[in-house]
Amino acid sequence: MTQVLLAFLGATLVIVVSPGPDTFLVLRNAAAGGRRGAAWSVVGIMVGCLVWMVAVVAGLAALVSSSATLYAVLRYLGAAYLAYLGARSLWDWWLTRATTAPDFDASPAPAPAPEAAHLPATTWIRQGLACNLLNAKLGAFLVAFFPQFRVPGVGPVVGNTILAVIFTAVATLWYVAMLAAIGRLGAWISRPQVRRAVGGAAGLALLVAAGFVAFGR
């Protein structure tokens, strides 16, 4: 059992750490709303992750990969949502091109962008949740990924539950590490020029991710 769990842990680390739409969203919202925006986005992403884990354990996620219609609907909705978020980031990047001047004074704490400073937590949570749940490829991948690791000595439901707990724990630790890094770099990220650059780069990455989701195989 130990060898199976260690192998699953290693594979999960590679999957979670690899940059994807959720990571780009956290960076985008860190630029737009500071550490607060990033933190609430992670809450939404992790809620979505828990939903996918429950679906995998219950066998419901298999419907995503077995139904071509459902898969296509989720796939294109997810691509459209990523494109929308990316386009908004690039639009904000364009609008602020003349208002960002060099700023060499480091702020003591991460400062949210003025336009996003008063957004409610539900806005960030909703973005993270939608970004994760509309990722049909994630559901299809998990359906194909989990059966590769059979936990000996237990039934499929218990085994998948153990794997789901490991996957969720690794994802949680990764996003906690991201938030810690954002906090440490908060003074730097809060500079207008840096915030604009991060937001623009994350917006472009989201548009590219939308293309892969919609047209990738």
Side-chain angles (χ1 to χ4, degrees), residues 166-185:
I166 294 174
F167 191 96
T168 304
V170 171
T172 301
L173 290 175
W174 168 244
Y175 285 114
V176 167
M178 278 191 66
L179 292 177
I182 290 171
R184 292 291 297 270
L185 298 173

Side-chain angles (χ1 to χ4, degrees), residues 98-151:
T99 60
T100 53
D103 182 8
F104 299 102
D105 295 325
S107 303
E115 65 276 7
H118 303 294
L119 286 178
T122 52
T123 298
W124 308 112
I125 293 174
R126 186 172 61 249
Q127 289 183 5
L129 180 62
C131 182
N132 190 273
L133 287 184
L134 290 177
N135 192 348
K137 285 192 171 184
L138 173 62
F141 172 79
L142 292 176
V143 170
F145 178 61
F146 272 55
Q148 305 302 316
F149 299 88
R150 298 287 185 180
V151 181

Side-chain angles (χ1 to χ4, degrees), residues 26-215:
V26 173
L27 293 176
R28 170 197 183 272
N29 289 351
R35 186 166 54 181
R36 175 177 176 272
W40 285 118
S41 300
V42 167
V43 171
I45 290 169
M46 291 311 305
V47 171
C49 183
L50 287 174
V51 172
W52 278 118
M53 291 301 103
V54 171
V56 168
V57 172
L60 299 177
L63 293 175
V64 175
S65 58
S66 62
S67 171
T69 301
L70 179 59
Y71 180 82
V73 169
L74 284 178
R75 178 179 177 181
Y76 290 118
L77 280 177
Y81 189 66
L82 291 177
Y84 164 72
L85 292 175
R88 278 191 55 183
S89 289
L90 289 180
W91 179 244
D92 291 340
W93 173 83
W94 177 257
L95 289 178
T96 57
R97 66 190 186 282
T99 60
T100 53
D103 182 8
F104 299 102
D105 295 325
S107 303
E115 65 276 7
H118 303 294
L119 286 178
T122 52
T123 298
W124 308 112
I125 293 174
R126 186 172 61 249
Q127 289 183 5
L129 180 62
C131 182
N132 190 273
L133 287 184
L134 290 177
N135 192 348
K137 285 192 171 184
L138 173 62
F141 172 79
L142 292 176
V143 170
F145 178 61
F146 272 55
Q148 305 302 316
F149 299 88
R150 298 287 185 180
V151 181
V154 297
V157 174
V158 175
N160 283 339
T161 300
I162 294 172
L163 298 181
V165 170
I166 294 174
F167 191 96
T168 304
V170 171
T172 301
L173 290 175
W174 168 244
Y175 285 114
V176 167
M178 278 191 66
L179 292 177
I182 290 171
R184 292 291 297 270
L185 298 173
W188 179 71
I189 294 177
S190 67
R191 298 177 184 179
Q193 281 191 321
V194 175
R195 186 170 58 206
R196 178 174 179 264
V198 172
L204 182 60
L206 285 170
L207 285 178
V208 173
F212 276 110
V213 169
F215 305 110

